[in-house]
Amino acid sequence: MASVLNVSAYLFTRIDDPVALRHTLRERAIAAELRGTILLAEEGINLFLAGEADAVRGFVDDLRADPRFAALETKDSWSDAVPFGKLLVKVKREIIRMDRPEVRPQDGRAPAVSPDTLRRWLDQGTDDEGREVVLVDTRNAFEVDYGTFAGAKDWRIERFTQFPDAASSHRDELAGKTVVSFCTGGIRCEKAALYLRDEGLDAYQLDGGILGWFAAQGAAHWDGDCFVFDGREALDAGLAPTHNSGKPGALAAAGAFDDGIA
């Protein structure tokens, strides 16, 4: 049975001391023998960590004891080995780079749709008001190639910073519809949904992202696997590693965290 606990989590919350916090969290993670990546910025925290289960849970519990991170929720999965080579704790300008400072999730989230609600909409073909539902994949093209929701919009972006311009150019085809943005764990689609709403669209984010969908709905309405930013490369709808599929995404992931893409 897989014994290594992998957690991904993010939270948009005001952090006034990201440099000082970096030192504290790095020391805690080292003491717990965890590996992975923690990104900090004034807008919040984003992390992917792996290790012995009690150590990982203890680290997360300590984080939640800080009022700034009390609402932190993790997406959990298991593996036979730690899928990270080392521990990185970095301070960035953004925990997910969009280069749109006016988009501030730390000041308030876009409305979210739960996996249960989205499943109902997709099963019936419309939202509860009878409007067409459009899914927008906010991830990079190489990630989408591993798998995505059936019929989702894929604008072939190479970096998340390209999403706003792509969304603006496709605005007319989304107008008058219920738009649901999604990504791996929720962090990108949270900013994306806010941007789409600023464009005057009725946009929502998929709460928990693809990993949350897998945990709640399995493979329903999904084709393929989900790329993840670690040595497992991709997960199937049961959150089990599919290992190296020979696709180039793993190479692209090597520098992904440098841009805050997770």
Side-chain angles (χ1 to χ4, degrees), residues 118 122 132-139 144 147-156 170 173-174 179-183 206 210 221-223:
L118 182 58
L122 295 179
E132 180 182 350
V133 176
V134 179
L135 295 169
V136 174
D137 200 325
T138 69
R139 299 172 302 156
V144 180
T148 190
F149 281 105
K153 299 291 185 182
D154 166 26
W155 295 328
R156 298 279 90 188
H170 290 274
E173 67 189 60
L174 304 178
V179 181
V180 180
S181 64
F182 67 92
C183 57
L206 174 57
I210 298 163
H221 298 281
W222 181 268
D223 295 327

Side-chain angles (χ1 to χ4, degrees), residues 110-111 181 188-198 203-205:
S181 64
R188 281 177 279 187
C189 48
E190 186 153 341
K191 280 193 173 182
L194 285 173
Y195 183 84
L196 292 168
R197 293 183 76 84
D198 286 345
Y204 301 79
Q205 58 189 314

Side-chain angles (χ1 to χ4, degrees), residues 5 28-29 31-34 51-62:
L5 176 60
R28 287 183 191 171
E33 299 183 343
L34 305 183
E52 191 273 328
D54 287 343
V56 174
R57 292 182 177 128
F59 181 88
V60 173
D61 287 344
D62 285 344

Side-chain angles (χ1 to χ4, degrees), residues 8-72:
S8 63
Y10 76 93
L11 185 66
F12 288 103
T13 183
R14 179 70 183 180
I15 300 176
D16 294 322
D17 59 342
V19 174
L21 184 60
R22 174 190 177 276
H23 175 76
T24 300
L25 296 187
R26 184 175 183 276
E27 292 304 310
R28 287 183 191 171
I30 289 173
E33 299 183 343
L34 305 183
R35 281 183 274 170
T37 299
I38 302 172
L39 300 179
L40 299 167
E42 290 185 355
E43 68 178 6
I45 185 171
N46 182 20
L47 61 85
F48 276 63
L49 291 172
E52 191 273 328
D54 287 343
V56 174
R57 292 182 177 128
F59 181 88
V60 173
D61 287 344
D62 285 344
L63 259 182
R64 291 182 179 137
D66 184 325
R68 296 174 293 183
F69 307 121
L72 189 74

Side-chain angles (χ1 to χ4, degrees), residues 151-168:
K153 299 291 185 182
D154 166 26
W155 295 328
R156 298 279 90 188
I157 61 175
E158 296 178 352
R159 291 193 178 277
F160 187 56
T161 51
Q162 298 171 354
F163 178 84
D165 287 342
S168 296

Side-chain angles (χ1 to χ4, degrees), residues 113 117-128 133 178:
V113 59
T117 297
L118 182 58
R119 172 70 183 272
R120 183 174 71 251
W121 291 355
L122 295 179
D123 285 349
Q124 65 194 25
T126 65
D127 70 7
D128 294 333
V133 176
T178 296

